[in-house]
Amino acid sequence: MRIVISRTSVRVGLLATAVTGLLGLAATGCGGDGDEEPADKTWAGTQLCGGDAVSAQASKALKVIMGTSRFGTTAEKSTVARAATNLVAAFPAATGGRDDVCRIYTAGGKADFAIRVTWGLYGDSPTETPAPEFTVLNMGERTLAAANRASVRFECRSDKFPNSTNEAAHVGIGVERWGTPTEPEGDTEALKDAYATVAHSFSLAMAKELGCEKNGGLPEKPVLDPA
């Protein structure tokens, strides 16, 4: 069942129980050792990744992407708060890659795929031309949405960063289908909106956790109209 989202307002460790197929290849976690969730423990979308990371709207968007409203996550310590601590420790150097915030599975680890949420630090605002499959959205420095992933880049000035009065952090949050690449199934535009909504929710949660001025320029609700 498709939800309607307003287009204007709008580590380590393996799973405790083996996950079949491609998830067995992609289930490396991002939390502490021995910290994985039991296979039979399930969460509502708004409880994922430490809570406060997934809004009610983003929880509905996850259902569009994954076809369920009950989920499992990689590890209890895989949270926005922990990722924010690691991000501040990495600043000001650009990370040159992405680190996990958390990973999301369907309940019981029976998903055909996982959703991977990542963070990164960049040296400056984005200037590269997006690939054709992306739609550019007007959130933060730049938001890109496709039918299997989305990313939000935003500038953050915060007294939590060393030398914060002199330099802003350029933060990126990514949300993507994790596993063997396949063609997206379903309504492409609805999937783009759903991924963008989840990416916005995690980005706003990160901006608030970091104490960014004006929430890094991010709106309280996702803006899904093309820029």
Side-chain angles (χ1 to χ4, degrees), residues 9 15 23 33 70 86 102 119 132-133 136 152 191 197 219 225:
S9 66
L15 285 171
L23 281 181
D33 295 337
R70 299 298 299 178
N86 293 337
C102 67
W119 66 268
E133 67 265 28
V136 181
V152 177
L191 285 168
T197 298
D225 286 326

Side-chain angles (χ1 to χ4, degrees), residues 15-224:
L15 285 171
T17 301
V19 180
T20 60
L22 62 90
L23 281 181
L25 301 176
T28 301
C30 56
D33 295 337
D35 173 21
E36 300 80 5
E37 293 297 345
D40 60 349
K41 189 169 186 178
T42 67
W43 307 83
T46 53
Q47 297 173 302
L48 292 169
C49 306
D52 299 324
V54 179
S55 66
Q57 190 172 4
S59 179
K60 293 178 181 179
L62 279 173
K63 186 175 181 179
V64 172
I65 296 168
M66 304 185 76
T68 181
S69 57
R70 299 298 299 178
F71 307 92
T73 57
T74 306
E76 184 177 345
K77 293 182 180 179
S78 298
T79 66
V80 170
R82 184 167 183 169
T85 297
N86 293 337
L87 191 156
V88 170
F91 182 82
T95 53
R98 300 170 300 163
D99 294 278
D100 280 355
V101 176
C102 67
R103 300 190 190 187
I104 302 169
Y105 304 88
T106 54
K110 297 179 180 179
D112 293 326
F113 63 93
I115 295 299
R116 184 187 182 197
V117 185
T118 60
W119 66 268
L121 276 172
Y122 299 85
D124 209 340
S125 301
T127 57
E128 67 276 9
T129 300
E133 67 265 28
F134 288 105
T135 296
V136 181
L137 304 177
N138 190 24
M139 293 189 286
E141 294 185 304
R142 187 172 70 183
T143 297
L144 303 177
N148 59 359
R149 50 187 165 161
S151 63
V152 177
R153 296 268 294 269
F154 62 93
E155 182 181 275
C156 180
R157 295 186 181 274
S158 170
D159 57 12
K160 292 188 179 182
F161 291 111
N163 303 316
S164 58
T165 58
N166 299 320
E167 189 173 358
H170 297 275
V171 182
I173 299 294
V175 176
E176 64 183 307
R177 176 170 176 150
W178 192 243
T180 304
T182 61
E183 288 295 320
E185 297 181 2
D187 185 325
T188 298
E189 292 304 314
L191 285 168
K192 284 186 178 183
D193 286 355
Y195 275 98
T197 298
V198 177
H200 165 268
S201 184
F202 273 93
S203 299
L204 185 60
M206 177 65 81
K208 291 181 176 181
E209 187 68 34
L210 291 171
C212 303
E213 291 181 4
K214 299 180 180 180
N215 291 331
L218 298 172
E220 284 294 323
K221 299 292 184 179
V223 176
L224 302 178

